Amino acid sequence: MKKKYMLLPAMMAAATLVLVGCSGTGDTENGDPATGGLSIDVPDVPMMDKLGKAEGEVNIVAWSGFVEPAWSEQFTEETGCAVNRRVAGTSDEMVTLMRTGDYDLVSASGDASLRLIAGGDVAPINIDLIPNFGDDTVKGMQGQIYDTINGKSYGVPIGRGANILQYNSEIVTEAPTSWDVVWEEDSPYAGEIIAYDAPIYIADAAVYLMTHEPDLGITNPYALDQKQLDAAIELLKTQNGIVSEYWADPVAQITSYAGGTSVVGTSWEILRKLTEDEKFKSVLPEEGSTGWADAWMISDEAKNPNCGYLWMDYTSSAKVNGAIAMGFGMAPANGAFCETSEEAAAHCEYFHATDEEYFENVWFWTTPLEQCIDGRTDITCTNFQQWTDAWLTVKS
Amino acid sequence: MTSTVPRVTPAEPGRVKTHGPGRVQPAGRNPLSTRLHRSPRLRLLGLLALPLTWLVGVYIFSLVMLLITAFWRTDPFTSKVIPGFTFDNFVRLVENPAYLSTSLRTLSIALLVTLLSVMFSIPLGIFMAKVASPWLRAFLAVAITLPLWAGYLVKILAMRITFTENGFFNSALEPLGLSGPGFSYTTVVLTLTYLWFPYMALPVYTAVRQIPANLFDASADLGARSWTTIRTVVVPLLKPAVIAGSIFTFSLSLGDYLAAKFVGGSTQMIGSVIASNINLNPPIAAAFSVVPIVFVLVYLFAVRKTGALERM
């Protein structure tokens, strides 16, 4: 893994060699879960080879806070591309919207990006046309599996964050170091635990099992065979007996902690910050955790590809990328931002922007596929439909 | 449903008359009205065109589209919906016990909400119509309808704040050494009862008011005490109103998912399952939506058997 990190920036710099380099990585590193280079059958969508004239507008599906007038107005001024934003609330909604063909760009999280790539909905990115995507991009966000397939890059990184363990230090007086407080039946906080409400949360159970049930042989929480999935669901069912509630809505999560209903459970750094109460603390437990990494992707039928590329380049600059990261509350993809000011440095420090050691323990959301992404070839893994179906049984 | 028809009636002739500003023509000379007068079929068509377009075009068409989707499938790799014809989705509904337990739980919630609404509505209706002073009656009528003025989501969030651990409910019970239900099945039932109660209370109250006073006199003359009068005279006369109200409380509870999401803790309802599948696997969501439709149809059929629909 370390070797790979040394290799990739060099490859990125040698822009003409990028394609060759990455596909080489795919072959040699096959089976290394966190470093990309997966080979799967995806529709062959052509890549743009050179930038043409700006079309005058660009239509973007984005998370709230990613496309804001504070930086989109200047973009329009510089390029003449008017920015039309459509805010989506979930990854699934983003996938649905991108398939209408009405949008040029999407800020896809890892669990949406593989579906979009496999569905032939997004085109590979020509990195040559995005000068800002290069050396400054933090190492952990280059060539990741959730947006790099068959050696082709499909996404321009925006930012990342971990799903952390948040606790109310007035009640959870001893700082937890393990996720066991939210998974084990005899947890002292049974009945006051909050869990995430989506099928992708199965991966959190898998991360816990990786450490505590090594016999299951889980090496990547997104590559579970049927037996491993069953074990994860079993763990989630145990947890169902001790949760106070499930959250999908950020506001519901914050009020659950603030109102005392929940004292410990899964969270995002930004949500903990929003409670504006020092008694809420967070930790990345020793087992590691799941997380999310977002990237710009361009539609295969984009009507405004030139404005799309210009936007991806513009938002990858240290200044704009940092503004997005600060607005949303995440680690920026562009590491150069961290050196621009004291405030920026503090933000990077708080969100562990360049701390690869921190993110080494974070398994970024990835769409589970039948083909095991941990490199196993002798067995079929469970796909996202199976996860969705299994998730239902947790709360029944 | 029939109430939409008269609403359209005045609009149609009105449109015909205002043919030209300030130029009022005698009805006989207006070619359109002459034509309408001669042809009853055309009249009927003009009358029903708008409501029928709405009913068939928007309401029934979208329902049929939804049901057709239930026979399609989703590509497990890309989550794309693929048209076709398969019963797989329905087989999965039966095979996965989670769907059955969720359906039964939702059914029990809907029935409990209806039962609670009836239990609160009848005494309240009798008190308002027959006992309360006019001033108190007006006050109670406003109090019942007041929650309808607030948004649905606002009310659910209000219940969330009430039932949260450090919320009003627990602090009110604290002196007694008790604690509330937290976010649970019970809270979902209470919240839905709170949401849909006006739909039961108003028809019941109106029905009690309409019971002629002399029926009470006759009952008293025959020696019945008030409880006997309520049991043998009032309640049977209230049946149509209770059934009308129960159709609202039952079917609205059956389709709800936000209450389960915000005050349900780990309670899963039919609506929550459909909502979580709507983007991931629309065909299975469509197949599952058949379940509440069947519940409502069975309910309406059972109600029809009692003959109460004719008297509504």
Coordinates of all heavy atoms in Angstrom, one line a residue, chain A residues 8 29 35 66 71 82 92 102 139 143 156 165 178 191 200 242 251 262 275 300 302 309 337 357 368:
Chain A
L8 N 1.8 6.5 -7.2 CA 0.8 7.2 -7.9 C 1.0 8.7 -8.2 O 0.8 9.1 -9.4 CB -0.6 7.1 -7.2 CG -1.5 6.1 -7.9 CD1 -2.8 5.9 -7.0 CD2 -1.9 6.6 -9.3
E29 N -1.8 -4.7 -8.7 CA -2.3 -4.5 -7.3 C -3.6 -5.2 -7.1 O -4.3 -4.9 -6.1 CB -2.4 -3.0 -7.0 CG -1.2 -2.2 -7.1 CD -0.5 -2.2 -5.7 OE1 -1.1 -2.5 -4.7 OE2 0.7 -1.9 -5.7
T35 N -6.9 0.5 -2.8 CA -6.1 1.3 -3.7 C -6.6 1.3 -5.1 O -5.9 1.9 -6.0 CB -4.6 0.8 -3.7 OG1 -4.7 -0.6 -3.9 CG2 -4.0 1.1 -2.4
F66 N -22.3 22.3 -1.9 CA -21.2 22.0 -2.9 C -21.1 23.1 -4.0 O -20.1 23.4 -4.5 CB -21.3 20.6 -3.5 CG -20.7 19.5 -2.7 CD1 -20.7 19.6 -1.3 CD2 -20.1 18.4 -3.3 CE1 -20.2 18.6 -0.5 CE2 -19.5 17.4 -2.5 CZ -19.6 17.5 -1.1
W71 N -18.8 30.9 -4.7 CA -17.7 30.5 -5.7 C -18.3 30.3 -7.1 O -17.5 30.3 -8.1 CB -16.9 29.4 -5.2 CG -17.6 28.1 -4.8 CD1 -18.0 27.1 -5.6 CD2 -18.0 27.8 -3.5 NE1 -18.6 26.2 -4.8 CE2 -18.7 26.6 -3.5 CE3 -17.9 28.5 -2.2 CZ2 -19.2 26.0 -2.4 CZ3 -18.5 27.9 -1.1 CH2 -19.1 26.7 -1.2
A82 N -23.0 29.7 -17.1 CA -23.9 29.9 -16.0 C -24.1 28.5 -15.3 O -24.1 27.5 -15.9 CB -25.3 30.3 -16.5
D92 N -28.8 7.7 -3.8 CA -29.7 7.0 -4.7 C -30.5 8.0 -5.5 O -30.7 7.8 -6.7 CB -30.7 6.2 -3.8 CG -29.9 5.3 -2.9 OD1 -29.0 4.7 -3.3 OD2 -30.3 5.3 -1.7
D102 N -30.4 14.9 -18.0 CA -30.6 16.4 -17.9 C -29.4 17.1 -17.3 O -29.4 18.3 -17.3 CB -31.9 16.8 -17.1 CG -33.1 16.3 -17.8 OD1 -33.0 16.0 -19.1 OD2 -34.2 16.1 -17.2
K139 N -3.1 12.2 -1.2 CA -2.7 10.9 -1.7 C -3.9 9.9 -1.6 O -4.1 9.1 -2.5 CB -1.5 10.4 -1.0 CG -0.2 11.1 -1.4 CD 0.9 10.8 -0.5 CE 2.1 11.7 -0.9 NZ 2.7 12.3 0.3
G143 N -7.0 7.7 -7.4 CA -7.1 6.4 -7.9 C -7.8 5.4 -7.0 O -7.4 4.2 -6.9
V156 N -13.2 13.3 -10.2 CA -12.3 14.3 -9.7 C -12.6 14.6 -8.2 O -13.7 15.0 -7.9 CB -12.4 15.6 -10.5 CG1 -11.4 16.7 -10.0 CG2 -12.1 15.4 -12.0
L165 N -17.4 7.7 15.9 CA -18.2 7.4 17.1 C -18.3 8.6 17.9 O -17.3 9.2 18.4 CB -17.5 6.3 17.9 CG -18.2 5.8 19.2 CD1 -19.5 5.1 18.8 CD2 -17.3 4.9 19.9
S178 N -13.4 1.6 21.4 CA -13.8 0.6 20.5 C -15.3 0.8 20.1 O -16.1 1.4 20.9 CB -13.7 -0.8 21.1 OG -14.5 -1.7 20.5
G191 N -30.1 0.8 24.8 CA -31.3 1.6 24.8 C -31.0 3.1 24.5 O -31.9 3.9 24.4
I200 N -26.2 0.7 3.5 CA -24.7 0.8 3.5 C -24.2 0.6 4.9 O -23.0 0.4 5.1 CB -24.3 2.1 2.8 CG1 -22.9 2.0 2.3 CG2 -24.4 3.3 3.8 CD1 -22.7 1.3 1.0
I242 N -30.8 -2.9 21.1 CA -30.3 -2.0 22.0 C -30.2 -0.5 21.5 O -29.7 0.3 22.2 CB -28.9 -2.4 22.5 CG1 -27.9 -2.6 21.3 CG2 -28.9 -3.6 23.4 CD1 -26.5 -2.8 21.7
V251 N -30.7 16.4 10.9 CA -31.4 17.1 12.0 C -31.9 16.2 13.1 O -31.8 16.4 14.3 CB -32.5 18.0 11.5 CG1 -33.3 18.7 12.6 CG2 -32.0 18.9 10.4
S262 N -30.3 9.7 22.7 CA -29.1 8.8 22.4 C -27.9 9.4 23.0 O -27.7 10.7 23.1 CB -28.9 8.7 20.9 OG -30.1 8.3 20.3
T275 N -23.8 20.5 17.0 CA -24.5 20.4 18.3 C -24.1 21.6 19.1 O -24.8 22.0 20.1 CB -24.2 19.2 19.1 OG1 -22.8 19.1 19.3 CG2 -24.6 17.9 18.3
D300 N -22.2 10.8 -19.4 CA -21.8 10.3 -20.7 C -22.6 11.1 -21.8 O -22.2 11.1 -23.0 CB -22.0 8.8 -20.9 CG -23.4 8.4 -20.8 OD1 -24.2 9.0 -20.0 OD2 -23.8 7.5 -21.6
A302 N -23.5 14.4 -21.5 CA -23.4 15.8 -21.0 C -23.6 16.7 -22.3 O -23.0 16.5 -23.3 CB -22.1 16.1 -20.4
Y309 N -16.0 20.4 -17.7 CA -14.6 20.3 -17.4 C -14.0 21.5 -16.8 O -13.2 21.4 -15.8 CB -13.8 19.9 -18.7 CG -13.6 18.5 -18.9 CD1 -14.6 17.7 -19.6 CD2 -12.5 17.8 -18.4 CE1 -14.4 16.3 -19.7 CE2 -12.3 16.4 -18.6 CZ -13.3 15.7 -19.3 OH -13.1 14.4 -19.4
F337 N -4.6 23.6 -0.1 CA -5.5 24.5 0.6 C -5.0 24.7 2.0 O -5.1 25.8 2.6 CB -6.9 24.0 0.6 CG -7.8 24.7 1.6 CD1 -8.3 26.0 1.4 CD2 -8.3 24.0 2.7 CE1 -9.1 26.6 2.3 CE2 -9.1 24.6 3.6 CZ -9.5 25.9 3.4
E357 N -2.7 8.5 7.7 CA -2.7 7.4 8.7 C -4.1 7.3 9.3 O -4.6 6.2 9.6 CB -1.7 7.7 9.9 CG -1.0 6.5 10.4 CD 0.2 6.9 11.2 OE1 1.2 7.3 10.6 OE2 0.1 6.9 12.4
P368 N -21.4 -2.3 -3.1 CA -21.1 -3.8 -3.1 C -21.5 -4.4 -4.5 O -22.5 -4.1 -5.0 CB -21.9 -4.4 -2.0 CG -22.5 -3.2 -1.3 CD -22.5 -2.0 -2.2

